[in-house]
């Protein structure tokens, strides 16, 4: 059996122990938690780099499998009755050589913990140089199997609009560099306004991450964004579900004055 198959089959070839933190993704329209994103951490809560620095071309298959299993095991224990809340799991496209073969351990973990696969969102970053045909095969297969999909850092990566033209994920997470100071930056507001309108037209839900201030959150709400994530709402919580800060979803007032129109 090839080493890649073995790593995918049992996830045993990655020997650095790790755990997960969870950060909520909130729906500001309904004032509820839409999902939690699982984020890699060291066993004592150390940052992701302490684990990711050990990932290489030989063990990435096993690492990807262990991440999925760890996220599902912890979420199943923490979610309790939150049966309609999503779980966003980051995956490495270059660690998936055949999507139906590489999903077996994930499905087994979900079945063992009684965690519904329909609540799993598979998220990948487009900042990595990818074989477009390969990623399309993965995304289409996951969709056929009932999983939701998300592109992270949309607007900052290599694939961008070319990938979006061939596959429309359920969610596109706008790159946080577009979000920073959007309440005071008219250029960023224009870019995000048109990006959000395009995603809505394509049936893709925009999600804005990296939100740090009430002004940024209000500006995005004014632009029609419902799903948000960032320190303004809650920091990641190690092996626990962080709750949005009191009042963080009670936005209400516009973040900036309406732009003047020419007559």
């Amino acid at each position: 059996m090839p080493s890649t198959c073995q790593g995918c089959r049992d996830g045993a070839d990655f020997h650095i122990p790790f755990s997960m933190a969870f950060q909520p993704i909130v729906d500001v329209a309904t004032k509820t938690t839409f999902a939690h994103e699982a984020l890699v951490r060291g066993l004592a809560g150390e940052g992701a780099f302490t684990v990711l620095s050990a990932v290489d071309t030989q063990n990435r298959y096993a690492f990807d499998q262990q991440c999925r299993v760890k996220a599902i095991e912890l979420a199943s224990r923490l979610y309790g009755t939150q049966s309609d809340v999503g779980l966003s799991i980051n995956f490495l496209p270059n660690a998936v050589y055949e999507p139906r073969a590489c999903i077996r351990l994930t499905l087994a973990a979900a079945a063992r913990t009684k965690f519904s696969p329909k609540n799993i969102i598979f998220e990948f970053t487009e900042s990595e140089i990818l074989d477009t045909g390969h990623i399309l095969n993965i995304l289409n297969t996951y969709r056929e199997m009932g999983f939701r999909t998300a592109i992270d850092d949309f607007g900052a990566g290599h694939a961008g609009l070319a990938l979006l033209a061939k596959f429309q994920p359920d969610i596109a997470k706008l790159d946080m560099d577009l979000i920073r100071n959007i309440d005071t930056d008219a250029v960023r507001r224009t870019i995000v306004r048109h990006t959000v309108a395009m995603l809505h037209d394509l049936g893709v839900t925009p999600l804005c991450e990296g939100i740090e201030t009430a002004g940024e959150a209000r500006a995005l709400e004014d632009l029609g964004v419902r799903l948000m994530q960032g320190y303004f709402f809650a920091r990641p919580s190690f092996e626990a579900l962080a709750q949005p800060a009191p009042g963080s979803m009670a936005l209400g007032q516009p973040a900036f004055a309406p732009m003047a129109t020419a007559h």
Side-chain angles (χ1 to χ4, degrees):
M1 177 182 291
S3 61
T4 54
C5 292
Q6 182 67 26
C8 185
R9 185 175 68 84
D10 57 21
D13 292 339
F14 188 76
H15 303 293
I16 306 298
F18 63 89
S19 192
M20 293 280 176
F22 294 88
Q23 186 177 32
I25 298 167
V26 303
D27 184 335
V28 298
T30 61
K31 297 179 172 53
T32 59
T33 298
F34 170 79
H36 294 275
E37 181 179 3
L39 302 163
V40 173
R41 294 290 185 269
L43 283 184
E46 303 94 336
F49 182 74
T50 61
V51 180
L52 296 177
S53 59
V55 179
D56 57 33
T57 56
Q58 297 301 311
N59 63 24
R60 64 188 179 192
Y61 304 95
F63 172 70
D64 186 70
Q65 293 297 314
Q66 286 190 31
C67 280
R68 299 168 184 229
V69 171
K70 178 66 71 174
I72 292 169
E73 288 177 343
L74 282 174
S76 67
R77 190 181 77 205
L78 296 169
Y79 273 35
T81 59
Q82 301 182 65
S83 59
D84 59 342
V85 177
L87 172 64
S88 186
I89 300 175
N90 294 276
F91 76 95
L92 303 173
N94 286 338
V96 179
Y97 52 89
E98 204 296 306
R100 290 191 181 274
C102 294
I103 201 68
R104 292 172 184 168
L105 208 61
T106 305
L107 293 174
R112 173 167 43 83
T113 60
K114 297 180 173 57
F115 192 88
S116 176
K118 71 179 179 62
N119 290 335
I120 295 175
I121 305 165
F122 279 119
E123 175 181 331
F124 77 99
T125 180
E126 57 142 357
S127 60
E128 183 181 6
I129 298 177
L130 301 170
D131 178 333
T132 302
H134 178 59
I135 190 63
L136 286 174
N137 182 40
I138 296 172
L139 295 174
N140 280 312
T141 300
Y142 285 178
R143 173 167 288 172
E144 290 170 3
M145 299 180 75
F147 297 112
R148 286 177 285 177
T149 57
I151 298 179
D152 195 8
D153 297 331
F154 182 73
H158 297 274
L161 295 175
L163 179 62
L164 193 64
K166 297 177 181 177
F167 180 87
Q168 294 77 51
D170 297 283
I171 297 167
K173 299 180 74 171
L174 275 65
D175 181 64
M176 66 176 63
D177 285 345
L178 292 174
I179 307 308
R180 189 62 58 245
N181 300 319
I182 192 171
D183 52 321
T184 59
D185 190 323
V187 173
R188 280 181 167 80
R189 287 203 301 277
T190 298
I191 293 171
V192 171
R193 179 185 298 111
H194 289 286
T195 301
V196 167
M198 175 191 67
L199 292 172
H200 283 152
D201 285 346
L202 294 173
V204 178
T205 300
L207 191 165
C208 291
E209 59 183 340
I211 298 165
E212 296 185 351
T213 68
E216 290 171 349
R218 285 196 299 268
L220 293 166
E221 187 180 35
D222 291 345
L223 294 175
V225 176
R226 289 181 52 161
L227 298 186
M228 303 188 196
Q229 183 180 15
Y231 286 178
F232 172 68
F233 299 99
R235 291 176 177 267
S237 186
F238 181 63
E239 295 186 349
L241 300 182
Q243 298 302 316
S248 63
M249 289 190 280
L251 301 176
Q253 297 300 316
F256 49 86
M259 296 178 63
T261 56
H263 294 284

